[in-house]
Amino acid sequence: MKETEIIKLFQEELKSKVLGDDAGFIKLGDRWLLLTNDMLVWRTDVPDFMTPEEAGAKVVTMNVSDIAAMGGKPIGFFFSLGLPRDINEKTLREIAKGIKRGTKRYNVEVLSGDTNESNELVIDGGAIGEAERILLRSGAKPGEVVCVTGDLGRPLTALLLWLKGEKIPREIAEKMKNPIARVREGLELANYASSAIDISDGLSKELWEISKASKVKIVIDPNSLPVHEKVKEIVKNPVEVALASGEEFELVFTISQEYLDILSFEFSIIGRVEKGEGVYTTTGEKVPMRGWEHFAGGNNDIGS
Amino acid sequence: MKETEIIKLFQEELKSKVLGDDAGFIKLGDRWLLLTNDMLVWRTDVPDFMTPEEAGAKVVTMNVSDIAAMGGKPIGFFFSLGLPRDINEKTLREIAKGIKRGTKRYNVEVLSGDTNESNELVIDGGAIGEAERILLRSGAKPGEVVCVTGDLGRPLTALLLWLKGEKIPREIAEKMKNPIARVREGLELANYASSAIDISDGLSKELWEISKASKVKIVIDPNSLPVHEKVKEIVKNPVEVALASGEEFELVFTISQEYLDILSFEFSIIGRVEKGEGVYTTTGEKVPMRGWEHFAGGNNDIGS
């Protein structure tokens, strides 16, 4: 079955109202509890230039990032490991150290963990968070601007170099090896932004998600994308790479212009929200929906 | 690496205070939030007399059961699927229907779900719950009695018959195919019991967990174990089977005798709590620590 068919099947059968954002949410007393989970399959998700410790820390980051994208404060982490029989102690200890490092970075408690025997190494991680106000994908309104934190393009560039067997410059590899979730930015955006999403599958795909959920047209200026300088030096098509590069864990958000001066962190304005549907460039070209999975394959959110 | 070594390694590295009970817990406002997760590996955890729908529902039950054992009210469910490339739609749809059935049974919301490509079919599920007062493994006190809900022995009997290629009577298979978490009982016990645990790995192992966590001796009367009548007919060693049978999802609890009449559900008194350590029979024999994994292998809680 195709990935899109699998997602459709589960959405049909489960009919959960809260699937479809970065994290699921439920009201608990006077605040929102957020929950997300995301599985890392070693064979497809961990290129060999990453260490087991980096992979362990990344499982924390990728889940915390989903909490951040909802404007939540991360409070807990949990995981399940599928371990092949011949796993060695050194690898396992490094993974554990990575998980510890990740949870210390975001100051979250490890709430639950279990291990199981499986044919291949799998780390399923998850995070919970809390929020007074949550940031959905569905709040973008015509007239607002579209922004993104940080720089783009490095993870896909690293992967492309790796697939070709070429040397990966340290600066390029770094974002793939040690990504950081935008927790502080997400908490601030909860007060000002109208929608947000984190870049796990690639900017183009995330823009399409906001466009579909908010029922708006998004128009981006390709020249305004914050492509990393080193990426521009290496790849021939930096804009396409910036649009498709996943596991960036940057936040894409829509916001009314009046709030831009209030934000305390750096970001780039990359486009605007209009009436209509779809994602286009300022020159009228349709931005392809494909993202990360087009290059790397494998992982799909059914919802959160 | 051995299972015990893996658990030890993670406990050493993570040093989380909350690992070590059925579910992790964290204070959120004026109540406790509980979280647990548990992975089901198809090849080792799903015998072929179970349908995919039953397996889907069971992933919900086994996680909700951990919330019940802590005296919590389950509120949400989440899952990650690892799917082999050749998975067929029928199997997948049945798993989804099973998850839906499970979540309806316990009235919990599906908060998050994702799918990934993997070599073998893996369902990692989890549940969250809330509680005003939580029930730990560590509260048992000398002078109290040890009780268990429901009947014992059917899941292991089913597995033993299946391994021998013999026909499994419907009544025996039923508890493995359609287990039910003791949510109502757990909620009631939160007000009266001093400790509780659910039977996922076998009564003997769970008794040892309470004994170790509470630093008490537990003395059980083998003749008082509620072995299912049909199990007594089939197996030669019903007491041993009742002690080792896992995935029962019954609750074992310790409680002061004065509260016994208040409880609104059926249970069996199987022993008493004394000063000291370890788990023994009334005739002075040490009860072996081995449980489910001794027969079935594979799954280990690091903590919750």
Side-chain angles (χ1 to χ4, degrees):
Chain A
M1 288 182 80
K2 277 194 218 154
E3 300 168 356
T4 47
E5 292 168 349
I6 294 173
I7 294 176
K8 194 159 159 274
L9 184 157
F10 273 91
Q11 281 171 340
E12 277 168 20
E13 296 293 338
L14 296 175
K15 292 189 190 70
S16 173
K17 278 167 296 182
V18 302
L19 293 179
D21 262 285
D22 286 291
F25 46 91
I26 194 167
K27 198 96 194 193
L28 211 62
D30 60 348
R31 48 191 127 181
W32 292 98
L33 178 75
L34 304 167
L35 186 146
T36 186
N37 66 329
D38 215 345
M39 187 184 276
L40 189 146
V41 177
W42 206 268
R43 180 173 46 87
T44 55
D45 298 339
V46 184
D48 62 10
F49 60 84
M50 283 180 70
T51 67
E53 183 169 344
E54 286 165 353
K58 187 173 190 170
V59 177
V60 183
T61 288
M62 67 197 206
N63 282 291
V64 165
S65 178
D66 281 326
I67 300 296
M70 301 282 288
K73 176 175 171 258
I75 52 180
F77 177 75
F78 52 93
F79 64 95
S80 272
L81 299 170
L83 302 173
R85 222 173 252 255
D86 61 354
I87 185 104
N88 67 62
E89 183 181 333
K90 189 165 167 287
T91 303
L92 211 53
R93 196 170 289 277
E94 281 194 41
I95 292 171
K97 280 186 195 300
I99 290 175
K100 182 71 185 178
R101 180 154 62 87
T103 54
K104 279 183 84 168
R105 169 180 281 159
Y106 304 111
N107 194 24
V108 293
E109 189 99 42
V110 180
L111 289 176
S112 181
D114 84 321
T115 70
N116 305 268
E117 193 190 310
S118 68
N119 282 336
E120 64 182 325
L121 184 51
V122 167
I123 311 181
D124 189 26
I128 57 169
E130 58 175 335
E132 279 174 40
R133 179 175 168 257
I134 50 177
L135 209 43
L136 304 177
R137 298 174 179 182
S138 56
K141 284 176 285 290
E144 294 175 337
V145 291
V146 182
C147 306
V148 65
T149 60
D151 63 81
L152 300 173
R154 286 188 284 164
L156 182 52
T157 302
L159 208 62
L160 293 171
L161 291 173
W162 177 68
L163 288 170
K164 286 198 278 183
E166 290 179 23
K167 195 173 177 308
I168 309 168
R170 196 198 52 77
E171 219 178 330
I172 293 290
E174 188 55 22
K175 198 173 188 185
M176 186 109 185
K177 289 161 77 75
N178 290 304
I180 295 177
R182 298 283 187 179
V183 175
R184 191 175 60 83
E185 291 85 346
L187 284 170
E188 206 172 316
L189 288 171
N191 294 317
Y192 303 109
S194 60
S195 76
I197 191 169
D198 74 324
I199 304 183
S200 41
D201 295 325
L203 176 62
S204 61
K205 179 145 182 261
E206 317 305 352
L207 291 171
W208 275 96
E209 296 291 344
I210 291 179
S211 162
K212 280 186 286 183
S214 299
K215 297 187 175 68
V216 293
K217 180 179 179 179
I218 288 177
V219 180
I220 58 157
D221 176 3
N223 296 318
S224 67
L225 297 186
V227 185
H228 192 273
E229 286 308 315
K230 200 87 190 169
V231 170
K232 288 182 192 167
E233 287 172 25
I234 293 170
V235 304
K236 286 183 196 145
N237 48 352
V239 168
E240 198 188 309
V241 166
L243 282 166
S245 183
E247 305 199 344
E248 297 274 359
F249 304 115
E250 300 298 344
L251 298 182
V252 184
F253 56 97
T254 58
I255 189 168
S256 173
Q257 292 209 48
E258 63 184 305
Y259 297 131
L260 290 181
D261 289 344
I262 301 174
L263 299 180
S264 75
F265 54 87
E266 287 185 33
F267 59 89
S268 305
I269 301 176
I270 60 168
R272 57 180 191 271
V273 184
E274 297 186 356
K275 278 186 197 166
E277 55 184 38
V279 182
Y280 294 84
T281 64
T282 40
T283 53
E285 283 175 273
K286 194 169 182 173
V287 173
M289 208 179 301
R290 69 166 182 233
W292 185 245
E293 90 272 33
H294 177 72
F295 289 83
N299 185 296
N300 294 291
D301 256 349
I302 290 165
S304 317
Chain B
M1 290 182 79
K2 275 195 219 154
E3 300 167 357
T4 45
E5 292 168 349
I6 294 172
I7 294 176
K8 194 158 161 275
L9 185 156
F10 274 90
Q11 282 170 340
E12 276 168 21
E13 296 293 340
L14 297 175
K15 292 189 189 72
S16 173
K17 278 168 297 185
V18 303
L19 292 179
D21 261 285
D22 286 291
F25 45 92
I26 193 167
K27 198 96 193 194
L28 210 63
D30 61 348
R31 48 191 128 181
W32 292 99
L33 178 76
L34 304 168
L35 187 145
T36 185
N37 66 331
D38 214 346
M39 188 184 276
L40 188 146
V41 178
W42 206 268
R43 180 174 45 86
T44 54
D45 298 340
V46 184
D48 62 10
F49 60 85
M50 280 180 72
T51 66
E53 184 169 343
E54 286 165 354
K58 188 173 188 168
V59 176
V60 183
T61 288
M62 66 198 206
N63 282 290
V64 165
S65 179
D66 281 327
I67 299 296
M70 301 281 289
K73 177 176 171 256
I75 54 179
F77 177 75
F78 52 92
F79 64 96
S80 272
L81 298 170
L83 302 172
R85 222 173 253 255
D86 62 352
I87 184 109
N88 66 63
E89 184 183 332
K90 189 167 167 288
T91 303
L92 212 52
R93 196 169 289 276
E94 280 192 44
I95 291 171
K97 280 186 195 301
I99 290 175
K100 181 71 184 176
R101 180 155 60 87
T103 55
K104 279 184 82 168
R105 169 180 282 158
Y106 303 111
N107 195 24
V108 294
E109 189 100 41
V110 180
L111 289 176
S112 182
D114 84 320
T115 69
N116 306 268
E117 194 190 308
S118 68
N119 281 337
E120 65 182 325
L121 184 52
V122 167
I123 311 181
D124 189 25
I128 57 168
E130 57 176 335
E132 281 174 38
R133 177 174 170 256
I134 50 177
L135 210 43
L136 303 177
R137 297 174 179 182
S138 55
K141 284 176 284 290
E144 294 175 337
V145 290
V146 182
C147 306
V148 65
T149 61
D151 63 80
L152 299 172
R154 287 188 285 163
L156 182 52
T157 303
L159 208 62
L160 292 173
L161 290 172
W162 177 69
L163 288 171
K164 285 197 277 183
E166 289 179 23
K167 196 174 176 306
I168 309 167
R170 196 197 51 77
E171 219 178 331
I172 293 288
E174 189 55 22
K175 199 173 187 186
M176 186 112 187
K177 289 161 77 74
N178 290 302
I180 296 177
R182 298 283 186 180
V183 175
R184 190 175 60 83
E185 292 83 348
L187 284 169
E188 206 172 315
L189 288 172
N191 294 316
Y192 304 109
S194 59
S195 75
I197 191 168
D198 74 325
I199 304 183
S200 41
D201 296 324
L203 177 62
S204 61
K205 179 145 182 259
E206 318 305 352
L207 290 171
W208 275 96
E209 295 292 344
I210 290 179
S211 163
K212 280 187 285 182
S214 299
K215 297 185 176 69
V216 292
K217 180 179 179 180
I218 288 177
V219 180
I220 58 157
D221 176 4
N223 298 317
S224 68
L225 298 186
V227 185
H228 191 273
E229 285 308 316
K230 200 85 188 168
V231 170
K232 288 182 191 165
E233 288 172 26
I234 293 170
V235 305
K236 285 185 198 145
N237 48 350
V239 168
E240 197 187 310
V241 166
L243 282 166
S245 183
E247 305 200 344
E248 297 274 356
F249 305 114
E250 300 298 345
L251 298 182
V252 185
F253 56 98
T254 57
I255 189 169
S256 171
Q257 292 211 47
E258 62 185 307
Y259 296 131
L260 290 181
D261 289 343
I262 301 174
L263 299 180
S264 74
F265 55 87
E266 287 184 34
F267 59 89
S268 305
I269 302 175
I270 61 169
R272 56 179 191 269
V273 184
E274 295 185 357
K275 278 185 195 168
E277 55 185 35
V279 182
Y280 294 84
T281 64
T282 39
T283 52
E285 284 173 272
K286 195 169 182 174
V287 174
M289 210 181 299
R290 71 170 180 229
W292 187 243
E293 90 272 30
H294 177 71
F295 289 84
N299 186 297
N300 293 292
D301 257 350
I302 290 166
S304 318

